[in-house]
DNA sequence: TACCAGGTGACTG
DNA sequence: CAGTCACATGGT
């Protein structure tokens, strides 16, 4: 493996511009309301969005589209609605825990919750059972529109493959790599995470498709795969 | 067919 | 604190 390098703020912006040119704006989060962002953020945990979207439709059809209704619903009813998203027992409990939090402490409106300062909001979210760091940051950024850079499996994998040095192995370490180098800017955080996610899902997959990658010349792993990709291109003639 | 997908909490040494 | 495991459906 090539030696890790310490990426400059300029390099982070260069990667952003490359991804933006490659994919265009992604218009995240794919939801019509802060409520839907939160529900979607829980349902998409370790799950692809394409199975979450049907689950959201089933929740609407089952009249489970407010915190009060989620809280009042019988667990098997909620489970059946969210079944397509997987992990339905755990996610049903998580939705009920969050509903209880919003109904009992913020009168059923996440708007009151979002009035908290960013760091306080994040801590309150982390205090809810089932809300971990990524889901909390999803909610802070995409529902409350406050600046908290979202980290996820894709982003960590891309950082590792690019060969960027990270101070540790934890979520916060990877998150800090970005937040210490980028201006604190909600639209930038929003689009950056969306673009990295798209790249992770389509190009920098578990089995990376380095041929044609817009970051190829910036990537330690991609350069290492040059021969292999050249062969696979040749094979397709 | 076997592997993988926008994590989190519980448990162990 | 760091590693490991269960949780579960659906697409390729």
């Amino acid at each position: 493996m090539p030696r890790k390098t310490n990426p400059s703020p300029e390099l982070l912006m260069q990667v952003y511009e490359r991804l933006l040119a490659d994919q265009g704006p992604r218009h995240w989060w794919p939801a019509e309301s802060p409520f839907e962002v939160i529900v979607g953020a829980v349902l998409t945990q370790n799950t692809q969005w394409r199975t979450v979207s049907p689950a959201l439709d089933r929740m609407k059809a089952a009249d489970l589209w407010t915190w009060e209704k989620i809280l009042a619903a019988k667990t098997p009813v909620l489970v059946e609605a969210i079944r397509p998203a997987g992990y339905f027992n755990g996610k049903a409990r998580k939705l009920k825990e969050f509903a209880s939090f919003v109904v009992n402490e913020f009168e059923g409106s996440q708007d009151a919750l979002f009035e908290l300062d960013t760091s306080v909001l994040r801590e309150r979210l982390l205090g809810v059972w089932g809300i971990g760091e990524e889901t909390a940051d999803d909610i802070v950024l995409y529902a409350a529109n406050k600046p908290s850079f979202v980290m996820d499996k894709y982003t960590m994998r891309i950082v590792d493959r690019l060969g960027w040095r990270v101070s540790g192995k934890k979520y916060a370490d990877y998150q800090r790599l970005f937040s210490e180098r980028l201006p604190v800017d909600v639209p930038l955080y929003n689009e950056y995470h969306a673009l990295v996610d798209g790249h992770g899902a389509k190009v920098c997959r578990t089995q990376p498709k380095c041929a044609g990658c817009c970051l190829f010349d910036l990537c330690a792993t991609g350069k290492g795969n040059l021969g292999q990709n050249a062969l696979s291109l040749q094979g397709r003639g």
Side-chain angles (χ1 to χ4, degrees):
Chain A
M1 279 292 284
R3 184 152 55 240
K4 302 281 183 182
T5 59
N6 188 10
S8 66
E10 291 72 24
L11 180 57
L12 263 65
M13 286 309 299
Q14 183 181 18
V15 164
Y16 174 79
E17 295 299 339
R18 290 272 190 98
L19 293 173
L20 185 59
D22 187 52
Q23 301 176 49
R26 297 206 62 207
H27 307 295
W28 266 26
W29 183 286
E32 295 183 356
S33 67
F35 170 84
E36 186 170 337
V37 172
I38 298 170
V39 174
V42 169
L43 293 185
T44 198
Q45 289 176 0
N46 203 35
T47 303
Q48 293 174 108
W49 184 261
R50 67 164 188 271
T51 69
V52 172
S53 194
L56 296 175
D57 291 339
R58 289 163 65 95
M59 285 181 67
K60 292 178 191 173
D63 193 23
L64 295 170
W65 208 238
T66 68
W67 295 121
E68 287 86 352
K69 287 178 176 175
I70 289 171
L71 187 57
K74 289 182 174 160
T75 297
V77 173
L78 181 57
V79 163
E80 188 52 34
I82 67 175
R83 176 174 295 280
Y87 303 118
F88 41 75
N89 290 314
K91 288 174 179 176
R93 178 180 169 194
K94 291 173 183 179
L95 289 178
K96 277 186 162 288
E97 296 270 359
F98 201 91
S100 174
F101 171 66
V102 176
V103 168
N104 293 325
E105 301 194 41
F106 296 92
E107 301 179 338
S109 166
Q110 65 273 334
D111 294 341
L113 170 64
F114 293 166
E115 288 174 11
L116 298 173
D117 287 343
T118 304
S119 61
V120 177
L121 170 60
R122 189 173 190 274
E123 288 306 309
R124 291 301 302 272
L125 292 170
L126 289 172
V128 180
W129 190 90
I131 306 297
E133 291 189 287
E134 183 187 342
T135 308
D137 286 329
D138 282 335
I139 294 169
V140 172
L141 183 61
Y142 292 106
N145 293 306
K146 293 170 186 282
S148 201
F149 198 91
V150 178
M151 194 44 50
D152 67 356
K153 190 187 297 180
Y154 286 159
T155 313
M156 296 184 194
R157 183 166 71 202
I158 289 171
V159 165
D160 289 341
R161 284 180 176 163
L162 286 170
W164 292 355
R165 188 196 320 283
V166 189
S167 58
K169 294 180 179 174
K170 302 200 303 198
Y171 182 100
D173 300 318
Y174 283 84
Q175 181 180 49
R176 204 162 45 247
L177 185 147
F178 289 88
S179 58
E180 284 181 347
R181 291 169 175 78
L182 297 174
V184 178
D185 182 278
V186 169
L188 176 64
Y189 280 17
N190 180 319
E191 193 64 47
Y192 208 135
H193 174 66
L195 290 167
V196 170
D197 181 272
H199 195 68
K202 291 178 229 155
V203 181
C204 203
R205 309 164 67 106
T206 304
Q207 301 297 325
K209 299 179 182 248
C210 299
C213 173
C214 66
L215 304 178
F216 188 82
D217 59 305
L218 305 176
C219 180
T221 305
K223 290 174 194 165
N225 284 343
L226 181 57
Q228 180 186 327
N229 281 284
L231 282 175
S232 99
L233 278 174
Q234 230 175 25
R236 277 188 301 175

